[in-house]
Structures are given as structure tokens and as C-alpha cells.
Amino acid sequence: MDNKVSASPRGSYRKFLEHLSGAGKAIGVLTSGGDAQGMNAAVRAVVRMGIYVGAKVYFIYEGYQGMVDGGSNIVEANWESVSSILQVGGTIIGSARCKAFRTREGRLKAACNLIHRGITNLCVIGGDGSLTGANIFRMEWSGLLEELAQDGKIDNEAVQKYAYLNVVGMVGSIDNDFCGTDMTIGTDSALHRIIEVIDAIMTTAQSHQRTFVLEVMGRHCGYLALVSALACGADWVFLPESPPEEGWEEQMCVKLSENRAQKKRLNIIIVAEGAIDTLNRPITSEKIKELVVTQLGYDTRVTILGHVQRGGTPSAFDRILASRMGVEAVLALLEATPETPACVVSLSGNHAVRLPLVECVQMTQEVQKAMDERRFKDAVQLRGRSFENNLNTYKRLAIKLPDDKIQKSNCNVAVINVGAPAAGMNAAVRSAVRVGIADGHKMFAVYDGFDGFAKGQIKEIRWGDVGGWTGQGGSILGTKRILPGKYLEEIATQIRTHNINAILIIGGFEAYLGLLELSAAREKHEEFCVPMVMVPATVSNNVPGSDFSIGADTALNTITDTCDRIKQSASGTKRRVFIIETMGGYCGYLANMGGLAAGADAAYIFEEPFDIRDLQSNVEHLTEKMKTTIQRGLVLRNESCSENYTTDFIYQLYSEEGRGVFDCRKNVLGHMQQGGAPSPFDRNFGTKISARAMQWITTKLKESPGKGKRFVSDDSICVLGISKRNVLFQPVAELKNETDFEHRIPKEQWWLKLRPLMKILAKYKTSYDVSDSGQLEPVRHRGGPEEPAAI
């Protein structure tokens, strides 16, 4: 793109990457503190983005220790030094705790080592301790240089030339204990490890009617414990921020025995390693085991997950998060001036944002202070709205009040799955059923979509019926793509027969079309004048009104895992290019994000038309790549990206054009993308968004206590979705204009802005709109007025 700055529709000026140059700058990248999966993806993004803009990038091995020791610990990196590390857990440049850096002498040595290589930009990936250290270093920088000049270790010219140090941090920590950011790098992968273990333990516990006490990491933060309890429907959870009330021992035993009485064959109790009671005394997993054995006599086992949680390959979410943050960190360093305070690149909703480092660290330390002073309510609030919502949702779903304590609403609410199956649908149904019952409604399950609705396959569903549903893939209620249009009479009759006062639809684009048809039928059939809300659930992530849908994360992880294996196979054979076809209909979300997470060379999607010249340039690009040490290629193609450039056509073209340089293989992933156990993200997202939908239904029904009220306004038939940073209910009538019905996709899709990232990281010259970045934002408590999008 020649024009570096062009007018945007909003009349402001758009800023492109081309006018940010890194020429003459040197960036040092280090990982410090505890390791986390996804750190390598961040290192890769920093190195490649740095080189792309013309800067020199240096690895600083072994964290601050390497900076203090210098020598071979600080090495210039090139494009190929970060090849094949995207899928590797931990950090390839090492991490170490460093006592020397805590002293001024240590920092003096570190400054001297950086100056000799001209490094005045630091990108630090670590926890709050590592980031605080970097900030102290930045504050002392000019003083350190003067001292080095006095000692004759550097000359005065160097003092002038390297007068200030820029610092940008990224938070790599599996605990998700850093305030200001929704998700830290490594958290999602750690949840994957925990959930894999819990799923495995559940099968053995079921066989023996056992109780399992699982201890997960989190000395000061209960995020992992809380979210894994939410994602597996644990019976009880212990967190440092929210200790159990006095007399919890008895309450817990009553809860466990009630569950057994309801024919539940297993109990799962999750404990954060830093769990405490209200007097700040530790609650250990052994103590809980003893209690269960002595009070109830249940066969009880303890499993301490330990460092398994830090290991293994990073999830798709963490790879994309880390890649986005790494690119944003380089942009922040390029734009920094001597006056810019040290910042942290973080995630808010699905936006990368920059926050002042010092304030984030202070807020993180305030949580610990509140816990030490036994102000637990404050601690939960300081953790942010997302944490608080997780806690409230968990409590509502785990503990059922006795029937006589629940105020009856005398309303019947139906839950239905529509469209293709998506992992996480069952978690959404469970959550809706339990929240509905807690709100006093009678819940009805509709089996087999609108088809089953018309045939009267409708049954009341109770609290216990949905136990253990969160971890199940597919759709237990059964789902079909059939639309309600042909069966309006029959469905209206069923609504009348079962006296249904509200409908929750969980599904994909068919569910959206179905909602539109039901909305249009309101004039003819007054039965449809009830509140209706749709929760998006489809692997394609193509529902208008929401940036994310249930099931897409699980599909993305399936694609990423498969690509990892295929890349390994291609590396072994050398000079091989794989062409992989993904699902998604006309929506390129899976191909594009899968390409970013798997480190693909290209991803063909419908939203960005391509022609034979583009295919030709991709082949030339791969031919060049085969001359380097990275002798393999990976190309993703969305199933409907082009009518004529089919997977076979592209495979044949690449085979012919690459003859003698590389050979080609193709692979169609197919329906494996719809199957499998839901990922932690999808379990959680399904649980929370569905609970939110039921709250909306309850509010609507309360507005009309009488039986006679008809809901006819547009805002009584909505799609619930996440848009940017907020959870929104949007009337289907308004979403019509935002929909491309022919291709079944929204007219505007947020993830297209990330498309240049994949190209830059695959060494293509491209234009990247960086207008969104740049401003340092104030630190808010996590979330804002609305619940934040990240789970």
C-alpha cells in the first residue's frame, strides 16, 4: 500500500505499519520467572515483527541472570531462530530466578552488557515480579549509565546515544493473577491440562464410587481452581480469595452425601494450593481427605497436579494471544518516547490494549494485601468482574436450594439445540436448566431441534438430569438443521399444549434463521409472542451479533493439533508442502485463526478474494523458503473459499509449479472438527453465556407477571453475543442489515484485522492497520460496566 496514512470513514487518520521504522533500533527479549505455555509464541512474534520493521532483535538467555552475566547469553536472533517453536511449551530462551539483578551492582553489569550491543528496548515476558524488576531498571537507567561512564566502562558518547530505556511487558503466568488483563499467556493451556486430568479421573471415580480431591496450582490466585470447577461441575471448590464460611466442614459433607443420595457415583473437590479459611489458616488437600473419610467413610483419593499444569503444548488460544501481544509489544517499543511510561500489553475482550505497568502491578499487589488483611470481599472485587461472575455462576450451578426455598415463577421455559453439533452445547444446556430452576421456572428440553419441537418431543428436565454434562461433546438433546418455517402450526400447538412462556435456542446460523422465521410468524400465531433468545453455538463462528460462538475454540484446537502433527511429518520428509482443508462454510474464521495458531504460510478464505497471481506468489514464496533451513510448508484452505480454486486444484497447481523443489500432500480435516470433548474455553463460555441468557429471560418474564401479556416488541427476540468488550442482547430485527444471507456470514468480522499478522509472521510484505494501537489506557478493574468477554 503506497499511501501510508489514509482517511478512514470516521474522518480520523488511519495509521499503517509502514510508517513505523525500527531501523537502527535494537530490541532485547527475555522470559523471566515461572515458565508458561505460549511464551515461545510471544518470543517468535517479537523476533519476527522486530526483524520485519528493520530492527535488530537479541535473545537474552536465562532471564535477568543472562542479562547480568552477558557474553554468550545475549545473542542476535534471525528469522529462522524462532522457526518450529510455536508448538513447544515452556521457553526456548530459558528462564531463571536471579538474585544478582535485585542488587544495584547486578543492574550495573546488566546495563553495561546491553549498552555494548546497543540495546535500549526491552521486551520482558514474565509475572509481576519480573515486570517490576524491569521498571526499576528503567527508572535507574540514566544513573547507571553515568556510573558506568565514571568507571570508564563506557564513553560519554554512549551515555548520550543510549540515554533512555524503553520497557514493554507481557504477562506470562499460568495463574492468571495479573490485574488489568483478562487472560495471561499460559492460563488457557494450564486449564487444558487440568481438564484433561479431571476428565480422565472422572471415569475411574465413576467405576469405584470414589471421591477425588484435586489440588491445582495457584498460591495466591484461585483462578485455575475456580474455572476448572466451573468447567467440570465440581462439587466443592476452595480458593484463597473466597474462603469457606465457618462450619464449612459440615456443609461440605452434607452436600457430598446429598449428591450420593441422588445416585451420583462420584464427587470431585478442587483445591487451590493456596486455599485458606477465614482466619488465613491453610486448607490442605490431605485435611479435606481426612475430613471426608472420617465424617462420611467415602473411599477418597488425593491427586496433586503439580508441574503437569505448566507443561505440554500451548493451546490455540494461547498461541494466538501470545502472537498478538508480541506484535503489539514491538509496536509499543517503536512508538515509545523518553516520556512514555513502561507499559504492559494485555487483552481486554478481544482487543489488545496497552496499560501502565506500575499501576497494574500495584493493583495486583492490592489483592494480596486484601487477602492478608482478611478483606475477602474486596479481594474478589479487585480480581475483577470476570472473576466475581465466575464465582457467582459456580455457586448458582453447584448448590441447589431445597424446593421449598425456591420462589416459583409458574413459568415454563423451553431449551432447544438447532443446527450442527458444537462442543460446549451441553454445558450451555446444563447451565440454562440449573439457572432456570434456581429462578423458579419449570424447564423443558426439546429433543432433535425444530423437527422434534413440531413432533412434541418435549420433556421436563430437572436439576439432576444435567449432572456431568459439561464435559460431553456433541449435543445430548440432539440437533437438526431443519428450520421451523414448514412446521409453524405444529410448533404453535406444542407451545400451547406445554404452556411455554419463553424459549432459549442454542445453535448456529440455522438457529438465527429460525429465530427470524419465528419472529415473522408472530403476527399470525400469538404463541410465538414470548421472549426468545439465541446463544450462538457453531464451529464456524459465523453468527451475526457475536464475535465468538460456542464450539469454535474446540474446533480451532483440533485444527491446531492436527497441523502440529502434519508439520512434524513434513519436517521429517523435508521439502514437503501440506494443503489442509478446514470447515466453516463461507466463514474463514477457522482457516485464518488456525493458520495463525499453527504458523501456516498461507490461508485461503472467502472473505479475501484471491486469483491465480496470488497462488503463483505463494508458490514462489514457498520455493524461496525451501532454500533456507525451514524445509516445509503449511497452507490452509477454507472449504468454500472459492468455487473453482478447489483443494484439488490448489494441490495440483502447487505440485506442478513446485516440481523439483518441493512435493505436495493434501488433507481434508472434515467432521473431526465438530467432535471431541469441549475445550475449557467452550465449557466455560457456554456455561456463562447461557446463564446470562436465562437471567434475561427471567427479567423479561418478571416484567409481565400476568399470564396474558404478549411480547411483540423487537427487543423480546434477541441474539446474545459478545461484541468487542461487552456482552450484548441484540434484536434479530436489527441484525438483519448486518447479515450476508447468501453466504451465511456477518457483513463485518472482527478477526479480519488479524489477517496481516499471519502474513507478517510468515514473512510476507503486507499492509497492517495499527490505528487501534497506541494509546495507553487507564487501568480499570477487570471488566467494565458489563461483563468482559474473556472467560
Side-chain angles (χ1 to χ4, degrees):
M1 211 165 191
D2 300 328
N3 53 330
K4 306 231 165 128
V5 175
S6 66
S8 81
R10 291 193 297 277
S12 60
Y13 279 93
R14 281 170 62 189
K15 185 170 60 170
F16 287 95
L17 182 60
E18 293 90 317
H19 74 268
L20 290 175
S21 165
K25 293 198 175 184
I27 299 171
V29 59
L30 68 145
T31 52
S32 169
D35 69 320
Q37 307 95 322
M39 279 184 167
N40 286 330
V43 170
R44 169 181 179 266
V46 171
V47 170
R48 292 198 166 171
M49 186 66 175
I51 293 171
Y52 182 86
V53 295
K56 279 186 165 180
V57 187
Y58 289 85
F59 283 152
I60 300 173
Y61 286 99
E62 312 306 336
Y64 288 117
Q65 192 65 54
M67 202 191 290
V68 174
D69 296 345
S72 60
N73 286 305
I74 305 177
V75 180
E76 190 176 345
N78 61 26
W79 195 270
E80 289 159 50
S81 358
V82 289
S83 167
S84 300
I85 66 169
L86 194 58
Q87 64 272 27
V88 180
T91 161
I92 58 152
I93 54 177
S95 174
R97 314 261 177 207
C98 175
K99 285 202 175 122
F101 193 75
R102 295 180 176 209
T103 64
R104 189 169 168 92
E105 296 84 278
R107 293 196 286 276
L108 207 56
K109 282 184 190 166
C112 186
N113 289 326
L114 293 185
I115 293 289
H116 286 316
R117 291 168 181 80
I119 300 171
T120 54
N121 295 284
L122 272 190
C123 181
V124 183
I125 308 163
D128 57 346
S130 314
L131 300 182
T132 309
N135 193 51
I136 294 169
F137 192 40
R138 190 187 73 92
M139 311 278 276
E140 288 182 352
W141 184 257
S142 52
L144 292 170
L145 294 202
E146 280 165 24
E147 199 173 318
L148 286 170
Q150 281 164 10
D151 297 349
K153 291 190 178 155
I154 58 172
D155 54 23
N156 284 331
E157 193 189 331
V159 176
Q160 299 303 311
K161 191 176 174 188
Y162 305 122
Y164 65 94
L165 178 73
N166 294 319
V167 171
V168 173
M170 285 184 261
V171 190
S173 153
I174 64 166
D175 292 340
N176 201 24
D177 55 358
F178 194 78
C179 290
T181 171
D182 286 341
M183 283 292 254
T184 56
I185 296 168
T187 306
D188 189 66
S189 304
L191 285 170
H192 272 260
R193 297 298 94 78
I194 295 169
I195 293 301
E196 281 159 19
V197 170
I198 293 177
D199 284 353
I201 278 178
M202 277 182 150
T203 54
T204 164
Q206 207 103 45
S207 311
H208 296 277
Q209 298 202 28
R210 282 199 173 126
T211 296
F212 268 87
V213 181
L214 270 103
E215 185 179 302
V216 300
M217 281 186 166
R219 263 193 314 246
H220 308 294
C221 177
Y223 184 88
L224 289 177
L226 176 55
V227 173
S228 45
L230 199 56
C232 74
D235 296 281
W236 203 270
V237 66
F238 291 92
L239 316 170
E241 293 89 343
S242 178
E245 295 157 8
E246 286 295 307
W248 60 269
E249 294 90 344
E250 194 185 336
Q251 283 177 322
M252 184 181 80
C253 291
V254 167
K255 168 90 201 299
L256 297 182
S257 53
E258 274 177 5
N259 279 355
R260 284 290 170 98
Q262 288 162 3
K263 302 277 190 293
K264 190 175 175 187
R265 294 177 61 88
L266 78 160
N267 304 110
I268 300 267
I269 300 165
I270 294 180
V271 195
E273 60 179 324
I276 46 177
D277 64 14
T278 45
L279 301 171
N280 282 19
R281 293 175 305 204
I283 296 178
T284 62
S285 32
E286 278 302 327
K287 180 181 171 183
I288 296 164
K289 175 187 168 174
E290 276 170 33
L291 182 74
V292 176
V293 172
T294 52
Q295 296 288 316
L296 299 168
Y298 291 164
D299 186 0
T300 306
R301 297 282 187 275
V302 173
T303 301
I304 295 171
L305 266 61
H307 282 76
V308 165
Q309 297 161 80
R310 280 191 193 280
T313 173
S315 65
F317 183 96
D318 272 332
R319 296 181 196 194
I320 293 166
L321 172 68
S323 301
R324 289 179 67 183
M325 286 188 179
V327 167
E328 185 69 25
V330 173
L331 293 178
L333 287 171
L334 292 183
E335 292 174 0
T337 64
E339 289 72 48
T340 315
C343 76
V344 178
V345 189
S346 105
L347 189 73
S348 174
N350 59 18
H351 269 257
V353 294
R354 298 177 197 172
L355 303 163
L357 186 148
V358 181
E359 289 175 40
C360 290
V361 172
Q362 276 169 351
M363 200 158 131
T364 305
Q365 289 165 350
E366 270 175 41
V367 182
Q368 190 54 47
K369 196 170 158 224
M371 279 153 54
D372 294 342
E373 294 170 4
R374 295 172 25 199
R375 293 182 286 115
F376 296 110
K377 268 213 168 76
D378 293 351
V380 169
Q381 278 170 349
L382 284 165
R383 276 271 179 251
R385 182 147 287 199
S386 174
F387 188 90
E388 212 176 333
N389 278 329
N390 280 331
L391 187 55
N392 293 335
T393 308
Y394 172 75
K395 285 177 179 167
R396 290 201 74 178
L397 297 176
I399 298 160
K400 180 181 187 285
L401 287 171
D403 285 339
D404 52 6
K405 292 264 173 71
I406 298 175
Q407 192 183 350
K408 296 284 178 279
S409 68
N410 298 324
C411 290
N412 297 343
V413 179
V415 183
I416 178 172
N417 288 169
V418 177
M425 274 184 163
N426 299 321
V429 172
R430 167 185 176 265
S431 165
V433 167
R434 292 198 167 176
V435 171
I437 291 170
D439 283 346
H441 311 314
K442 220 181 204 182
M443 299 301 296
F444 284 86
V446 179
Y447 294 86
D448 297 338
F450 287 119
D451 186 33
F453 209 155
K455 291 177 180 158
Q457 295 171 0
I458 304 169
K459 235 171 57 192
E460 189 184 343
I461 186 162
R462 295 187 170 81
W463 186 280
D465 299 340
V466 290
W469 278 30
T470 37
Q472 309 266 349
S475 161
I476 296 174
L477 294 185
T479 176
K480 285 192 178 172
R481 290 178 179 272
I482 292 167
L483 293 173
K486 299 179 196 152
Y487 304 106
L488 292 171
E489 285 288 342
E490 293 89 331
I491 293 173
T493 309
Q494 292 300 336
I495 291 178
R496 213 169 40 243
T497 313
H498 292 90
N499 194 9
I500 285 165
N501 307 96
I503 301 173
L504 169 64
I505 303 176
I506 299 164
F509 203 84
E510 277 82 12
Y512 170 70
L513 294 175
L515 208 53
L516 282 168
E517 288 183 3
L518 294 176
S519 167
R522 277 181 162 183
E523 287 175 15
K524 269 195 173 163
H525 302 276
E526 65 169 4
E527 289 83 356
F528 298 132
C529 299
V530 296
M532 296 186 199
V533 61
M534 171 194 163
V535 168
T538 162
V539 297
S540 309
N541 196 22
N542 61 340
V543 176
S546 190
D547 292 349
F548 295 104
S549 56
I550 299 167
D553 183 72
T554 305
L556 208 49
N557 276 297
T558 304
I559 293 167
T560 310
D561 290 349
T562 311
C563 287
D564 286 352
R565 293 179 186 192
I566 286 172
K567 261 168 87 171
Q568 207 171 28
S569 142
S571 300
T573 6
K574 293 275 183 290
R575 301 178 176 278
R576 179 163 282 179
V577 174
F578 271 91
I579 294 161
I580 296 173
E581 181 185 301
T582 67
M583 283 173 113
Y586 285 99
C587 177
Y589 178 81
L590 290 179
N592 188 64
M593 299 308 252
L596 191 53
D601 295 284
Y604 299 118
I605 59 173
F606 168 76
E607 290 86 348
E608 190 176 283
F610 56 97
D611 58 21
I612 197 76
R613 289 183 295 277
D614 298 304
L615 293 171
Q616 182 62 37
S617 92
N618 291 145
V619 172
E620 286 163 10
H621 189 267
L622 282 166
T623 308
E624 282 305 304
K625 186 177 174 180
M626 295 299 161
K627 294 175 186 166
T628 69
T629 55
I630 320 169
Q631 298 183 339
R632 53 166 170 68
L634 188 66
V635 174
L636 270 65
R637 177 189 175 275
N638 159 266
E639 58 183 354
S640 305
C641 66
S642 161
E643 200 178 336
N644 297 313
Y645 297 137
T646 59
T647 303
D648 286 334
F649 176 90
I650 293 176
Y651 161 68
Q652 284 160 348
L653 178 87
Y654 272 63
S655 299
E656 182 59 38
E657 294 292 319
R659 182 169 295 179
V661 185
F662 56 80
D663 66 349
C664 236
R665 293 287 183 275
K666 62 174 187 211
N667 202 327
V668 177
L669 298 184
H671 281 75
M672 63 187 275
Q673 296 163 80
Q674 278 181 2
S679 66
F681 181 95
D682 279 331
R683 295 180 192 204
N684 229 355
F685 179 52
T687 298
K688 286 175 66 174
I689 199 158
S690 182
R692 192 75 190 73
M694 278 310 299
Q695 286 169 354
W696 177 86
I697 285 178
T698 301
T699 311
K700 284 276 176 226
L701 292 173
K702 275 192 182 146
E703 288 170 12
S704 67
K707 284 278 182 197
K709 162 136 195 231
R710 289 167 65 224
F711 290 85
V712 286
S713 61
D714 284 347
D715 68 354
S716 64
I717 185 157
C718 287
V719 173
L720 168 55
I722 279 178
S723 177
K724 295 195 174 69
R725 304 184 191 182
N726 300 318
V727 174
L728 295 178
F729 288 89
Q730 289 165 281
V732 276
E734 288 172 19
L735 289 173
K736 257 191 194 159
N737 305 330
E738 296 172 25
T739 310
D740 169 356
F741 284 100
E742 185 191 346
H743 299 106
R744 302 162 55 96
I745 52 175
K747 286 179 184 168
E748 278 191 16
Q749 303 186 85
W750 69 275
W751 51 266
L752 283 168
K753 318 198 279 287
L754 302 185
R755 194 146 167 82
L757 286 197
M758 190 193 82
K759 294 180 181 175
I760 288 169
L761 297 175
K763 218 174 183 172
Y764 283 93
K765 286 274 174 248
T766 182
S767 185
Y768 182 34
D769 183 349
V770 291
S771 318
D772 284 352
S773 8
Q775 279 64 46
L776 206 60
E777 300 202 358
V779 184
R780 292 192 304 267
H781 289 317
R782 288 197 212 178
E786 268 291 345
E787 182 179 343
I791 57 159

